[in-house]
Amino acid sequence: MSRGRLISFEGLDGAGKTTQIHLLEQWLTSQQIVYVHTREPGGTPLGVEIRRLLFHHPELVITPLAEAFLFQADRAQHFNTLVLPTLETGTHVITDRCFDSSIAYQGVARGVGVELVSYLSLLATQGHAPDLTIFLDLDPAIVHERTDGRAEHTRFDRENAQFHQKLREAFLKQACTYPERIKVVNAAQTPERIHQEIVLLVADVLSREI
Ligand code: TYD
């Protein structure tokens, strides 16, 4: 039996990840492909608590380095107790965000540094990386319009346009560094068109021998 594949979705808040993950789930189910859907932060019971600390306590001052460690603590628990054991059983894992978010948000936009965040990510994932990362790329101006009416605001929704521009550039740079793993999908297209592109990418990675 071959190991399951790990597929991560990345993008600025409001780039359409939720919609696309939902469409991909429908497709996987229609193909009778078994998968687990999870997310960072918040994919484990500990992660739910870390997520609460990060996003539901606006009164808490969290330094950039402490924030970076909180996301990595969530990830260490996530990989150790859910992601890696699931892949071992041959089941695929779809995760809403993974360490590329840490590189972009904490490493670049928060200024913690890409090298340090990459090193912490390596520890947290025990050296594993997604088999495929889909980066839904969207102009931050459009992203802003989409996130305004959200029920759950993250720590980053209220950051300025420059912050979001930095994030986008960081993700695009990651994609240039790892072109085999990270695929950039233009998220300004219709949801159907984006979904078709994603299905091709996913089908390709699932068909590869490992
Ligand atoms: P989430 O509710 O998943 O929102 P979105 O729909 O935007 O993905 O929020 C997760 C937030 O946490 C998002 O703003 C990105 C941020 N984040 C980091 O800053 N670092 C990380 O390592 C991860 C995984 C997420």
Side-chain angles (χ1 to χ4, degrees):
M1 181 189 59
S2 75
R3 172 179 79 72
R5 309 297 148 82
L6 176 59
I7 298 169
S8 62
F9 278 77
E10 299 283 3
L12 305 193
D13 308 78
K17 283 185 289 94
T18 309
T19 305
Q20 288 305 324
I21 291 173
H22 182 64
L23 291 172
L24 179 61
E25 286 191 276
Q26 287 180 339
W27 180 79
L28 290 167
T29 304
S30 74
Q31 304 296 306
Q32 295 175 336
I33 296 170
V34 183
Y35 68 92
V36 166
H37 172 198
T38 181
R39 69 172 175 177
E40 291 187 0
T44 63
L46 175 65
V48 169
E49 295 305 321
I50 293 174
R51 188 181 176 96
R52 216 192 305 274
L53 267 178
L54 282 164
F55 302 145
H56 293 262
H57 290 277
E59 77 288 0
L60 269 186
V61 177
I62 305 180
T63 69
L65 187 58
E67 183 183 281
F69 279 118
L70 285 171
F71 281 109
Q72 296 296 351
D74 166 79
R75 181 164 301 122
Q77 186 79 5
H78 193 215
F79 268 73
N80 188 275
T81 65
L82 190 143
V83 175
L84 297 177
T86 304
L87 296 175
E88 280 299 309
T89 68
T91 299
H92 306 301
V93 175
I94 313 293
T95 182
D96 186 343
R97 297 192 182 278
C98 194
F99 62 75
D100 294 297
S101 281
S102 280
I103 306 275
Y105 284 79
Q106 282 68 51
V108 177
R110 289 287 205 225
V112 173
V114 170
E115 248 181 69
L116 177 58
V117 173
S118 302
Y119 178 65
L120 294 176
S121 300
L122 208 64
L123 292 180
T125 64
Q126 300 173 37
H128 291 266
D131 297 282
L132 169 67
T133 296
I134 292 162
F135 171 53
L136 292 173
D137 182 36
L138 196 59
D139 185 328
I142 302 176
V143 171
H144 244 85
E145 285 168 23
R146 289 192 188 177
T147 48
D148 268 1
R150 287 256 186 110
E152 186 188 40
H153 282 280
T154 70
R155 304 186 74 74
F156 311 101
D157 287 348
R158 291 185 185 84
E159 295 288 345
N160 61 23
Q162 209 186 345
F163 182 89
H164 290 102
Q165 193 55 42
K166 258 198 210 172
L167 283 176
R168 183 191 196 187
E169 282 162 19
F171 276 120
L172 290 173
K173 191 159 175 220
Q174 276 287 100
C176 277
T177 310
Y178 303 100
E180 283 301 306
R181 171 172 70 84
I182 306 179
K183 303 297 178 191
V184 180
V185 173
N186 174 7
Q189 306 176 92
T190 63
E192 293 72 25
R193 185 82 200 87
I194 298 169
H195 173 60
Q196 284 165 5
E197 269 190 44
I198 290 174
V199 164
L200 289 179
L201 293 168
V202 170
D204 179 56
V205 84
L206 297 189
S207 69
R208 270 185 231 155
E209 295 282 332
I210 49 169

